[in-house]
Amino acid sequence: MLCVLEFNVQSVQTYCLVGLISVTAACLRYLLMTGTYYIIVCQLFDRKFRKYKINPDRVSGGVVQKEMSWALLNNLNYAILATATYGLYERGWLKLYFDWHEYGTLYGLLVILVLLLAHDAYFFWAHYLMHREPFRRISHHWVHHQFHNVTPWSAFSVHPIEGFVELLFRPVLLMLIPTHPYTLVAFAILSFGLNIIGHSGYEFFPKNFATSPLTKFSSCATYHYLHHRNSNCNFALFFNFWDRIMGSMAPDYASFYAATRGRVDSADRAESYSAKAASRGFASRER
């Protein structure tokens, strides 16, 4: 009996440690990566980069605090999912491997792309459903849509219920795809970096990004900004394949991008970001 009790205590301690490490790492990733981007782009070089800001209106400190609060609260989901994932690992249900040479470097790199594509598909359909009843009400997706003029801090700034749904695919993928921890870390950093860029409110990509055959299927800050302007379009995260297939891509995406990147005069640009803001009431409709 004492041996069983000691084993259970050790097991609980291990799970608690896994959860603590995971939530700490998630919070540090959020604060360091988002904070670095925010300090450099929005503070130190504000004047230099202001011409790249999609909506030139300034965001108040109170809004930024709300973005940070929701995001940090949402990071608690990492503790929950990490302990659950560790439980799956203990039972041998995950396809994690630790010898990098077992599958080779090419495989390890290709898996990052596979994870991005799988994440994008999962996110699109989860996000798409969150804009429809009853999932809209259950997920509390209005929390994310209360931020119209987004900042880097709004990345992952969602209600914890929505955040849990968004993270749920990760242990499932680890049960299906052989993955090395190095690949997993690279994916976690890359995916969150793209999330920050998408929510940054600044468009630094080339002027032909929205129309070039090499990049037009990718998402960007302008692409996601249009979703916050009009919540009935642009549900994708990294790519826009699914929006194109479902007919949910903003029809003015290319022209809006051109206006944002300075291809038209400032008056037309001002018109472009203020016009057609038909779905500003998303948050109010939810509450």
Side-chain angles (χ1 to χ4, degrees):
M1 175 67 76
L2 289 176
C3 291
V4 172
L5 181 61
E6 183 180 355
F7 172 77
N8 288 336
V9 170
Q10 289 178 345
S11 180
V12 170
Q13 289 176 338
T14 301
Y15 277 88
C16 289
L17 182 61
V18 168
L20 180 61
I21 292 174
S22 298
V23 70
T24 301
C27 289
L28 287 175
R29 180 187 66 168
Y30 173 75
L31 292 173
L32 290 175
M33 292 182 65
T34 309
T36 299
Y37 191 103
Y38 183 79
I39 290 172
I40 293 175
V41 175
C42 307
Q43 299 294 318
L44 293 179
F45 298 100
D46 175 63
R47 288 188 178 183
K48 181 179 179 63
F49 293 140
R50 179 147 293 275
K51 62 182 179 180
Y52 298 105
K53 197 171 189 308
I54 300 169
N55 185 335
D57 292 342
R58 291 191 176 275
V59 180
S60 69
V63 171
V64 170
Q65 288 179 2
K66 288 179 66 175
E67 290 175 332
M68 293 178 66
S69 298
W70 279 111
L72 290 172
L73 177 63
N74 187 31
N75 277 328
L76 291 174
N77 279 312
Y78 281 97
I80 300 171
L81 268 300
T83 53
T85 302
Y86 182 74
L88 295 174
Y89 169 74
E90 276 198 324
R91 289 160 179 76
W93 292 358
L94 301 186
K95 292 193 174 183
L96 280 175
Y97 67 95
F98 297 92
D99 182 1
W100 180 260
H101 299 290
E102 182 177 352
Y103 287 88
T105 300
L106 180 60
Y107 175 85
L109 295 176
L110 286 176
V111 167
I112 297 176
L113 177 60
V114 171
L115 292 177
L116 285 174
L117 289 169
H119 186 179
D120 186 72
Y122 176 85
F123 179 88
F124 174 86
W125 286 106
H127 190 192
Y128 187 85
L129 291 174
M130 286 177 189
H131 281 262
R132 284 151 180 79
E133 296 295 351
F135 304 103
R136 172 158 48 185
R137 184 174 60 255
I138 295 171
S139 67
H140 297 280
H141 188 51
W142 65 265
V143 167
H144 189 60
H145 275 275
Q146 66 184 311
F147 308 116
H148 302 297
N149 190 6
V150 291
T151 78
W153 297 108
S154 61
F156 214 56
S157 183
V158 300
H159 191 281
I161 293 177
E162 177 182 346
F164 181 83
V165 173
E166 290 179 0
L167 290 174
L168 193 58
F169 86 102
R170 298 193 179 199
V172 175
L173 285 181
L174 290 178
M175 289 190 289
L176 300 174
I177 303 173
T179 308
H180 191 278
Y182 290 164
T183 301
L184 199 57
V185 170
F187 165 72
I189 294 174
L190 178 59
S191 62
F192 193 70
L194 292 174
N195 197 2
I196 292 173
I197 292 172
H199 285 90
S200 67
Y202 288 78
E203 190 55 78
F204 293 112
F205 288 153
K207 292 182 178 181
N208 64 342
F209 185 89
T211 54
S212 170
L214 296 176
T215 56
K216 69 178 183 179
F217 295 106
S218 300
S219 182
C220 61
T222 302
Y223 194 84
H224 193 67
Y225 175 84
L226 286 172
H227 177 70
H228 281 260
R229 187 198 69 174
N230 179 353
S231 62
N232 294 319
C233 66
N234 294 13
F235 299 101
L237 184 60
F238 304 131
F239 308 98
N240 56 49
F241 302 117
W242 289 104
D243 277 316
R244 291 177 182 274
I245 293 171
M246 296 300 295
S248 55
M249 189 168 75
D252 64 336
Y253 166 51
S255 60
F256 185 94
Y257 187 95
T260 300
R261 290 296 284 115
R263 285 187 172 177
V264 296
D265 62 37
S266 58
D268 288 339
R269 181 171 178 242
E271 176 71 16
S272 72
Y273 70 73
S274 61
K276 304 179 184 177
S279 296
R280 285 256 176 162
F282 184 98
S284 61
R285 289 202 306 272
E286 288 301 294
R287 288 174 286 183

